[in-house]
């Protein structure tokens, strides 16, 4: 019996749904896998992705990232820490500047910190960092952000021409509860798929700060 047009349409829809489930599920697994990686291989720079700051004081999300960057610097992973991030309308400080001040207050010499005071989302921040590193003849970076953010930041950094790997924070709100972990994986799965499809940032609010 020859399948009817409606049967063919049904099969196509079912196939598309299965492909979508496999694609989303596979991406979520990769987000989870890379989130578990802590690569302390020596690099030219430690790059801290920005998050919210309040009148120069890093938010708890940002502080957790900065604390991890300080640990990596103290362990000799890289001689330079790069903080990155601009400011929201009405802010007096950029994320990069407040991050630099925090690191200085916690023992990292100011001349070993580069504040790249631009970037309102992950993609713009990574592109700004890549440009600043190229100007200085630097090419390798260990990226510090929340665990679930690792795969997307690494993908973007490599697309920008950097040799990049990740050593995310293991403290802070992003890892406190199972709910926050699930939410982070789900959000990053969607954001990464969007980036791979369009090469634009998803512009989720937490990229500019939490």
């Amino acid at each position: 019996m020859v399948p009817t047009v409606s049967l063919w349409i049904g099969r196509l829809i079912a196939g598309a749904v299965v492909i979508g489930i496999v694609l989303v599920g596979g991406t979520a697994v990769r987000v989870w896998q890379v989130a578990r990686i802590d690569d302390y291989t020596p690099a030219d720079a430690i790059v801290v992705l920005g998050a919210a700051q309040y009148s120069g004081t890093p938010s708890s999300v940002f502080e957790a990232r900065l604390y991890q960057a300080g640990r990596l610097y103290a362990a000799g992973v890289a001689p330079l820490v790069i903080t990155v991030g601009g400011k929201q309308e009405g802010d007096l400080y950029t994320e990069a500047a407040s991050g630099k001040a925090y690191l200085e207050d916690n023992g990292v010499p100011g001349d070993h910190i580069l504040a790249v005071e631009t970037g309102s989302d992950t993609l713009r921040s990574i592109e700004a960092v890549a440009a600043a590193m190229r100007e200085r003849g630097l090419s390798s970076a260990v990226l510090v952000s929340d665990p679930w953010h690792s795969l997307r930041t690494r993908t973007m950094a490599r697309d920008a021409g950097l040799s990049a790997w990740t050593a995310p924070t293991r403290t802070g709100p992003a890892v406190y509860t199972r709910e926050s972990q699930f939410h982070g994986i789900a959000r990053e799965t969607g954001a990464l798929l969007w980036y791979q499809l369009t090469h634009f940032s998803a512009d989720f609010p937490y990229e500019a700060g939490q």
Side-chain angles (χ1 to χ4, degrees), residues 6-146:
S6 60
L7 183 58
W8 277 114
I9 292 174
R11 288 176 176 176
L12 286 172
I13 292 173
V17 169
V18 170
I19 291 171
I21 291 172
V22 170
L23 179 62
V24 172
T27 302
V29 169
R30 285 295 295 148
V31 169
W32 176 79
Q33 288 175 331
V34 175
R36 294 164 62 85
I37 295 173
D38 289 300
D39 192 339
Y40 285 23
T41 301
D44 292 331
I46 299 159
V47 176
V48 191
L49 276 296
Q53 55 78 35
Y54 307 104
S55 299
T57 301
S59 64
S60 57
V61 170
F62 196 14
E63 183 177 12
R65 299 178 187 181
L66 293 163
Y67 173 77
Q68 171 69 349
R71 290 180 65 246
L72 294 173
Y73 176 82
V77 171
L80 177 69
V81 181
I82 300 177
T83 58
V84 61
K87 61 182 178 181
Q88 302 299 300
E89 185 175 349
D91 285 350
L92 297 178
Y93 300 87
T94 62
E95 294 168 4
S98 62
K100 180 178 181 179
Y102 176 95
L103 290 168
E104 287 180 312
D105 288 344
N106 285 272
V108 181
D111 57 352
H112 288 208
I113 307 169
L114 172 64
V116 178
E117 299 183 82
T118 187
S120 56
D121 57 46
T122 301
L123 181 58
R124 293 183 180 90
S125 295
I126 289 292
E127 290 174 342
V129 166
M133 290 181 65
R134 281 194 296 269
E135 289 175 0
R136 292 161 176 80
L138 308 176
S139 61
S140 62
V142 56
L143 308 171
V144 178
S145 189
D146 305 327

Side-chain angles (χ1 to χ4, degrees), residues 128-182:
V129 166
M133 290 181 65
R134 281 194 296 269
E135 289 175 0
R136 292 161 176 80
L138 308 176
S139 61
S140 62
V142 56
L143 308 171
V144 178
S145 189
D146 305 327
W148 328 114
H149 199 197
S150 292
L151 178 57
R152 185 156 57 101
T153 56
R154 191 183 74 178
T155 300
M156 290 177 172
R158 291 177 177 178
D159 286 349
L162 296 176
S163 176
W165 48 95
T166 58
T169 179
R170 300 297 174 191
T171 62
V175 297
Y176 279 162
T177 66
R178 292 291 185 187
E179 182 181 358
S180 65
Q181 293 172 22
F182 176 81

